[in-house]
mmCIF file of all heavy atoms in Angstrom:
data_model
loop_
_atom_site.group_PDB
_atom_site.id
_atom_site.type_symbol
_atom_site.label_atom_id
_atom_site.label_comp_id
_atom_site.label_asym_id
_atom_site.label_seq_id
_atom_site.Cartn_x
_atom_site.Cartn_y
_atom_site.Cartn_z
ATOM 1 N N MET U 122 141.832 99.507 320.649
ATOM 2 C CA MET U 122 141.487 98.578 319.589
ATOM 3 C C MET U 122 141.733 99.254 318.261
ATOM 4 O O MET U 122 141.245 100.360 318.009
ATOM 5 C CB MET U 122 140.014 98.157 319.715
ATOM 6 C CG MET U 122 139.585 97.128 318.674
ATOM 7 S SD MET U 122 137.907 96.524 318.935
ATOM 8 C CE MET U 122 136.957 97.967 318.443
ATOM 9 N N ASN U 123 142.480 98.628 317.373
ATOM 10 C CA ASN U 123 142.764 99.178 316.057
ATOM 11 C C ASN U 123 141.572 98.947 315.137
ATOM 12 O O ASN U 123 141.493 97.950 314.430
ATOM 13 C CB ASN U 123 144.022 98.535 315.469
ATOM 14 C CG ASN U 123 145.258 98.930 316.242
ATOM 15 O OD1 ASN U 123 145.357 100.042 316.736
ATOM 16 N ND2 ASN U 123 146.192 98.008 316.366
ATOM 17 N N ALA U 124 140.643 99.873 315.166
ATOM 18 C CA ALA U 124 139.417 99.754 314.387
ATOM 19 C C ALA U 124 138.912 101.143 314.048
ATOM 20 O O ALA U 124 139.403 102.158 314.562
ATOM 21 C CB ALA U 124 138.355 98.958 315.147
ATOM 22 N N ILE U 125 137.920 101.174 313.167
ATOM 23 C CA ILE U 125 137.251 102.415 312.783
ATOM 24 C C ILE U 125 135.758 102.205 312.971
ATOM 25 O O ILE U 125 135.202 101.198 312.535
ATOM 26 C CB ILE U 125 137.561 102.804 311.324
ATOM 27 C CG1 ILE U 125 139.057 103.080 311.147
ATOM 28 C CG2 ILE U 125 136.749 104.021 310.906
ATOM 29 C CD1 ILE U 125 139.431 103.432 309.721
ATOM 30 N N VAL U 126 135.115 103.170 313.627
ATOM 31 C CA VAL U 126 133.671 103.155 313.794
ATOM 32 C C VAL U 126 133.109 104.288 312.957
ATOM 33 O O VAL U 126 133.583 105.431 313.039
ATOM 34 C CB VAL U 126 133.265 103.316 315.266
ATOM 35 C CG1 VAL U 126 131.750 103.268 315.418
ATOM 36 C CG2 VAL U 126 133.902 102.231 316.112
ATOM 37 N N ALA U 127 132.103 103.991 312.162
ATOM 38 C CA ALA U 127 131.566 104.999 311.245
ATOM 39 C C ALA U 127 130.053 104.944 311.232
ATOM 40 O O ALA U 127 129.438 103.877 311.405
ATOM 41 C CB ALA U 127 132.107 104.788 309.831
ATOM 42 N N LEU U 128 129.450 106.129 310.998
ATOM 43 C CA LEU U 128 128.010 106.255 310.799
ATOM 44 C C LEU U 128 127.771 106.511 309.315
ATOM 45 O O LEU U 128 128.340 107.444 308.733
ATOM 46 C CB LEU U 128 127.454 107.410 311.629
ATOM 47 C CG LEU U 128 125.985 107.766 311.396
ATOM 48 C CD1 LEU U 128 125.074 106.629 311.847
ATOM 49 C CD2 LEU U 128 125.622 109.071 312.109
ATOM 50 N N CYS U 129 126.945 105.687 308.694
ATOM 51 C CA CYS U 129 126.695 105.777 307.257
ATOM 52 C C CYS U 129 125.217 106.076 307.003
ATOM 53 O O CYS U 129 124.346 105.781 307.825
ATOM 54 C CB CYS U 129 127.093 104.458 306.568
ATOM 55 S SG CYS U 129 128.783 103.928 306.915
ATOM 56 N N HIS U 130 124.960 106.656 305.820
ATOM 57 C CA HIS U 130 123.607 107.075 305.460
ATOM 58 C C HIS U 130 123.364 106.746 303.992
ATOM 59 O O HIS U 130 124.249 106.923 303.147
ATOM 60 C CB HIS U 130 123.446 108.583 305.700
ATOM 61 C CG HIS U 130 122.278 109.194 304.999
ATOM 62 N ND1 HIS U 130 120.988 108.753 305.184
ATOM 63 C CD2 HIS U 130 122.201 110.231 304.115
ATOM 64 C CE1 HIS U 130 120.167 109.481 304.451
ATOM 65 N NE2 HIS U 130 120.876 110.384 303.773
ATOM 66 N N PHE U 131 122.150 106.296 303.682
ATOM 67 C CA PHE U 131 121.776 106.048 302.290
ATOM 68 C C PHE U 131 121.011 107.262 301.772
ATOM 69 O O PHE U 131 119.865 107.499 302.158
ATOM 70 C CB PHE U 131 120.915 104.789 302.168
ATOM 71 C CG PHE U 131 120.648 104.381 300.759
ATOM 72 C CD1 PHE U 131 121.528 103.540 300.096
ATOM 73 C CD2 PHE U 131 119.535 104.847 300.076
ATOM 74 C CE1 PHE U 131 121.294 103.156 298.788
ATOM 75 C CE2 PHE U 131 119.290 104.473 298.765
ATOM 76 C CZ PHE U 131 120.178 103.630 298.116
ATOM 77 N N CYS U 132 121.703 108.010 300.930
ATOM 78 C CA CYS U 132 121.107 109.210 300.358
ATOM 79 C C CYS U 132 120.353 108.839 299.078
ATOM 80 O O CYS U 132 120.867 108.094 298.231
ATOM 81 C CB CYS U 132 122.194 110.242 300.060
ATOM 82 S SG CYS U 132 121.589 111.735 299.259
ATOM 83 N N GLU U 133 119.153 109.391 298.910
ATOM 84 C CA GLU U 133 118.359 109.078 297.722
ATOM 85 C C GLU U 133 118.938 109.692 296.460
ATOM 86 O O GLU U 133 118.591 109.278 295.347
ATOM 87 C CB GLU U 133 116.919 109.545 297.932
ATOM 88 C CG GLU U 133 116.203 108.783 299.031
ATOM 89 C CD GLU U 133 114.773 109.228 299.197
ATOM 90 O OE1 GLU U 133 114.363 110.169 298.485
ATOM 91 O OE2 GLU U 133 114.060 108.648 300.022
ATOM 92 N N LEU U 134 119.802 110.699 296.623
ATOM 93 C CA LEU U 134 120.430 111.334 295.466
ATOM 94 C C LEU U 134 121.756 110.701 295.102
ATOM 95 O O LEU U 134 122.095 110.574 293.929
ATOM 96 C CB LEU U 134 120.635 112.824 295.727
ATOM 97 C CG LEU U 134 119.365 113.683 295.847
ATOM 98 C CD1 LEU U 134 119.738 115.115 296.178
ATOM 99 C CD2 LEU U 134 118.548 113.620 294.567
ATOM 100 N N HIS U 135 122.545 110.301 296.124
ATOM 101 C CA HIS U 135 123.914 109.861 295.881
ATOM 102 C C HIS U 135 124.197 108.440 296.343
ATOM 103 O O HIS U 135 125.308 107.951 296.168
ATOM 104 C CB HIS U 135 124.895 110.810 296.580
ATOM 105 C CG HIS U 135 124.665 112.254 296.261
ATOM 106 N ND1 HIS U 135 124.186 113.141 297.199
ATOM 107 C CD2 HIS U 135 124.824 112.941 295.109
ATOM 108 C CE1 HIS U 135 124.068 114.331 296.647
ATOM 109 N NE2 HIS U 135 124.439 114.251 295.378
ATOM 110 N N GLY U 136 123.217 107.770 296.941
ATOM 111 C CA GLY U 136 123.456 106.419 297.405
ATOM 112 C C GLY U 136 124.150 106.401 298.753
ATOM 113 O O GLY U 136 124.102 107.371 299.519
ATOM 114 N N PRO U 137 124.842 105.305 299.102
ATOM 115 C CA PRO U 137 125.496 105.195 300.409
ATOM 116 C C PRO U 137 126.590 106.244 300.583
ATOM 117 O O PRO U 137 127.416 106.456 299.700
ATOM 118 C CB PRO U 137 126.083 103.786 300.409
ATOM 119 C CG PRO U 137 125.291 103.039 299.386
ATOM 120 C CD PRO U 137 124.939 104.034 298.332
ATOM 121 N N ARG U 138 126.585 106.900 301.724
ATOM 122 C CA ARG U 138 127.579 107.916 302.034
ATOM 123 C C ARG U 138 128.016 107.778 303.491
ATOM 124 O O ARG U 138 127.214 107.440 304.372
ATOM 125 C CB ARG U 138 127.015 109.321 301.819
ATOM 126 C CG ARG U 138 126.918 109.734 300.360
ATOM 127 C CD ARG U 138 128.326 109.963 299.785
ATOM 128 N NE ARG U 138 128.262 110.456 298.415
ATOM 129 C CZ ARG U 138 128.276 109.682 297.343
ATOM 130 N NH1 ARG U 138 128.311 108.365 297.486
ATOM 131 N NH2 ARG U 138 128.246 110.189 296.131
ATOM 132 N N THR U 139 129.306 108.034 303.744
ATOM 133 C CA THR U 139 129.843 108.046 305.107
ATOM 134 C C THR U 139 129.618 109.424 305.713
ATOM 135 O O THR U 139 130.057 110.436 305.156
ATOM 136 C CB THR U 139 131.337 107.712 305.117
ATOM 137 O OG1 THR U 139 131.545 106.462 304.475
ATOM 138 C CG2 THR U 139 131.860 107.648 306.535
ATOM 139 N N LEU U 140 128.935 109.468 306.852
ATOM 140 C CA LEU U 140 128.657 110.742 307.499
ATOM 141 C C LEU U 140 129.695 111.123 308.536
ATOM 142 O O LEU U 140 130.090 112.279 308.636
ATOM 143 C CB LEU U 140 127.284 110.678 308.185
ATOM 144 C CG LEU U 140 126.047 110.771 307.293
ATOM 145 C CD1 LEU U 140 124.793 110.723 308.147
ATOM 146 C CD2 LEU U 140 126.072 112.044 306.465
ATOM 147 N N PHE U 141 130.143 110.135 309.328
ATOM 148 C CA PHE U 141 130.973 110.458 310.484
ATOM 149 C C PHE U 141 131.760 109.212 310.856
ATOM 150 O O PHE U 141 131.199 108.108 310.865
ATOM 151 C CB PHE U 141 130.075 110.885 311.654
ATOM 152 C CG PHE U 141 130.809 111.514 312.809
ATOM 153 C CD1 PHE U 141 131.265 112.818 312.735
ATOM 154 C CD2 PHE U 141 131.023 110.802 313.977
ATOM 155 C CE1 PHE U 141 131.916 113.404 313.811
ATOM 156 C CE2 PHE U 141 131.677 111.371 315.044
ATOM 157 C CZ PHE U 141 132.116 112.678 314.965
#
Side-chain angles (χ1 to χ4, degrees):
M122 183 174 72
N123 292 326
I125 297 178
V126 181
L128 173 66
C129 306
H130 162 57
F131 188 88
C132 177
E133 294 182 357
L134 293 177
H135 308 111
R138 284 290 184 268
T139 304
L140 284 181
F141 192 76

